[in-house]
Amino acid sequence: MTVRARERDGRPSPERILAEVMAAVAEHGLAELTMASLGRRLGMSGGHILYYFGSKDRIFLEALRWSEGRLAEERRALLARPIPADRKLDRFLALYLPLGPRDPRWVLWVELWARTPADEALREPQDELDAGWQDDLAALLDRGVRQRRFAPHDTAAAAAQLLALLDGLSTRVVLGLRGADREGALAHAREAARSLVPRV
């Protein structure tokens, strides 16, 4: 991730900080990510980083939002492509799943899920990110019904069920559980999609 924008005072911009958070998580995981180590990467103090965000949890949340924003652009570009809905669904599944155990976006998701019961302020932003995926998937399925690629069905329910399954598969991959990898998760996701989304 190479975000080079800087503030007029010479300090890294908030966007650059978030890019470095994602890079650090990908390289070393969350266990080794401290404000001091992040500050060294950015050439600034940990206190200055907290000045931008207020807390470590907020930094994690904003890094996740930043990453998800970039994926939302990819998702919307996919949905706008003039290809059949069944092919779009397959690509949507691949976009959702983690790239592997060190996928920083999914590492942050798992971390924030664990922290949410103790911090309600984290719940609403995560719900908003989830809703974006679910709304786009339901819209994709609706379009597939109109294109007669999918049989009529409750697209909102199918989207919710499929995303819940994808979350489970993704968590197993990112935790590095035995037998869990991206290729296997994608195969299971495709099988689930065939079951949950009836074809014509």
Side-chain angles (χ1 to χ4, degrees), residues 17-18 20-21 24-25 30-61 63 108 115:
I17 294 171
L18 299 176
E20 286 296 333
V21 169
V25 171
L30 280 173
E32 295 182 32
L33 181 61
T34 64
M35 291 304 96
S37 66
L38 185 57
R40 284 192 294 275
R41 293 176 71 103
L42 292 160
M44 63 192 298
S45 73
H48 280 125
I49 298 170
L50 288 174
Y51 170 79
Y52 283 113
F53 300 102
S55 71
K56 196 171 182 179
D57 283 357
R58 180 59 57 177
I59 293 170
F60 292 162
L61 178 61
L108 287 174
R115 293 173 186 233

Side-chain angles (χ1 to χ4, degrees), residues 61 64-65 75 109 112-113 116 119-135 163 167:
L61 178 61
L64 180 60
R65 274 180 162 157
R75 198 168 69 231
W109 268 116
L112 288 168
W113 282 337
T116 298
D119 186 351
E120 282 294 318
L122 294 175
R123 185 179 305 280
E124 185 176 344
Q126 291 177 71
D127 286 345
E128 290 173 8
L129 295 174
D130 279 337
W133 283 99
Q134 187 161 334
D135 292 346
L163 289 179
D167 284 343

Side-chain angles (χ1 to χ4, degrees), residues 96 158-169:
Y96 193 90
Q161 292 167 359
L162 190 49
L163 289 179
L165 182 133
L166 288 171
D167 284 343
L169 291 171

Side-chain angles (χ1 to χ4, degrees), residues 45-187:
S45 73
H48 280 125
I49 298 170
L50 288 174
Y51 170 79
Y52 283 113
F53 300 102
S55 71
K56 196 171 182 179
D57 283 357
R58 180 59 57 177
I59 293 170
F60 292 162
L61 178 61
E62 292 306 321
L64 180 60
R65 274 180 162 157
W66 179 76
S67 176
E68 285 285 348
R70 295 173 61 163
L71 269 182
E73 292 174 10
E74 288 186 52
R75 198 168 69 231
R76 294 204 171 89
L78 168 63
L79 294 178
R81 290 187 63 190
I83 59 175
D86 49 347
R87 287 176 56 200
K88 283 185 187 180
L89 176 57
D90 190 70
R91 294 180 187 185
F92 187 101
L93 301 176
L95 187 62
Y96 193 90
L97 290 167
L99 300 176
R102 298 187 77 94
D103 187 313
R105 176 178 69 105
W106 273 100
V107 170
L108 287 174
W109 268 116
V110 171
E111 181 70 19
L112 288 168
W113 282 337
R115 293 173 186 233
T116 298
D119 186 351
E120 282 294 318
L122 294 175
R123 185 179 305 280
E124 185 176 344
Q126 291 177 71
D127 286 345
E128 290 173 8
L129 295 174
D130 279 337
W133 283 99
Q134 187 161 334
D135 292 346
D136 285 349
L137 179 53
L140 188 163
L141 299 181
D142 283 333
R143 186 171 302 154
V145 171
R146 291 194 300 274
Q147 292 176 346
R148 301 179 191 274
R149 293 277 176 172
F150 305 141
H153 64 287
D154 185 340
T155 54
Q161 292 167 359
L162 190 49
L163 289 179
L165 182 133
L166 288 171
D167 284 343
L169 291 171
S170 297
T171 301
R172 291 181 59 81
V173 171
V174 84
L175 292 178
L177 298 183
R178 186 176 60 186
D181 58 27
R182 177 177 167 82
E183 293 73 24
L186 186 54

